[in-house]
Amino acid sequence: MSVPESDSDFRSGFVCFVGRPNTGKSTLTNALVGEKIAITSSRPQTTRHTIRGIVNREDTQLILVDTPGLHRPRTLLGKRLNDLVRDTYSEVDAIGFCVPADEKIGPGDRWIAQQLKEMAPKTPVVGLVTKIDKVKPDRVAQQLMALSELLGPDSEVVPISAAKGKQLDVLINVLRGLMEPGPAYYPDGELTDEPETTLMAEFIREAALEGIHDELPHSLAVVIEEIIEREAPEGQIPMVDVHANLYVERDSQKGIIIGKKGARLKEVGTVARVQIEKVLGAKVYLDLHVKVAKDWQRDPKQLGRLGF
């Protein structure tokens, strides 16, 4: 990254994307960063950590904080995830409120908008109509008007498609306008400050949740137990052994993850390994085990042990 002629030319700051589950927050983070650093899923409460993605431009650096979705909690885990989101609201320089173009604004959206006004009254909010590639232009226009009415005249509203890469540069320029002049927080080339172990655990969770229904997304946690680097002959790609445990709350859930004769767990390992190899830049042997930690979402000691 070249150094601007004057400090006032360069702007930097922190941005948080919020919205109901499955409104495209994690997909948008990945699209802006240019690499996959946040897991995506159609299941609510997939994201568990505030993964920071870093967007580098010639005159701008945006640090994207991808939080769990704000929701009405039913467990201790849910309450802790909400606390994580609330803490983030007060720390960022701008908030992007995501509403998909293919769903009408409903009570959940209005509840989040009210939460933003109460918890971050001074933080600028940009309305983001996501997934515009899924609907016709007149529907996009209707959603833009509805979201603008919900957020008020002080909030700019931008239509985007993270999947198709539409309007992302416009969004970056809008967010840049809300940042104060300041230095780059991270060196050019860095995409996230998340530890590799966290990313690996998240990729395993994403693979395990694919195609799963009911309550299992809330009940699944992944812990990286051990990483062992093997010595590789000179000139060959290094090999890394990754040992991870998947924790569920009941024996029946364990059976779902493992599948018939272990077929599903093998598929989880195959899918997750591809993502982990990209993160580590090495060949990976991925060893997965499924364990039962009864009612861990409601147990403070077990929550702590599993990293929450």
Side-chain angles (χ1 to χ4, degrees), residues 131-245:
K131 306 182 183 183
I132 61 171
D133 55 297
K134 292 190 173 186
V135 299
K136 295 181 179 180
D138 59 339
R139 176 63 189 138
V140 174
Q142 292 173 11
Q143 195 75 321
L144 288 169
M145 292 177 61
L147 184 54
S148 180
E149 184 177 344
L150 177 64
L151 296 178
D154 294 334
S155 294
E156 193 161 351
V157 180
V158 182
I160 58 170
S161 169
K164 302 295 184 181
K166 293 182 178 180
Q167 294 275 107
L168 298 185
D169 286 339
V170 173
L171 173 58
I172 290 174
N173 287 335
V174 170
L175 293 173
R176 181 183 187 276
L178 298 173
M179 302 295 117
E180 296 289 336
Y185 290 93
Y186 297 92
D188 190 16
E190 284 198 25
L191 302 179
T192 180
D193 67 353
E194 261 319 294
E196 290 177 344
T197 53
T198 300
L199 289 175
M200 287 189 282
E202 290 287 270
F203 289 144
I204 294 168
R205 281 190 71 245
E206 179 183 44
L209 292 176
E210 186 64 34
I212 293 293
H213 302 288
D214 302 323
E215 83 289 356
L216 190 55
H218 302 271
S219 306
L220 179 63
V222 178
V223 176
I224 305 297
E225 297 290 344
E226 191 175 22
I227 301 174
I228 303 172
E229 296 185 25
R230 302 186 194 179
E231 289 188 16
E234 188 174 349
Q236 292 190 15
I237 298 174
M239 183 79 179
V240 178
D241 295 343
V242 177
H243 300 271
N245 289 333

Side-chain angles (χ1 to χ4, degrees), residues 50-79:
T50 53
I51 294 178
R52 289 179 170 84
I54 303 165
V55 180
N56 292 300
R57 295 292 186 272
E58 192 71 17
D59 58 357
T60 310
Q61 185 176 84
L62 301 175
I63 297 90
L64 310 180
V65 184
D66 185 60
T67 66
L70 189 65
H71 65 295
R72 295 180 174 89
R74 295 182 297 172
T75 64
L76 180 58
L77 171 63
K79 183 178 183 302

Side-chain angles (χ1 to χ4, degrees), residues 247-261:
Y247 290 92
V248 293
E249 293 189 307
R250 298 194 300 275
D251 285 325
S252 60
Q253 296 169 339
K254 181 177 179 179
I256 292 172
I257 295 295
I258 294 175
K260 188 175 182 180
K261 295 183 179 181

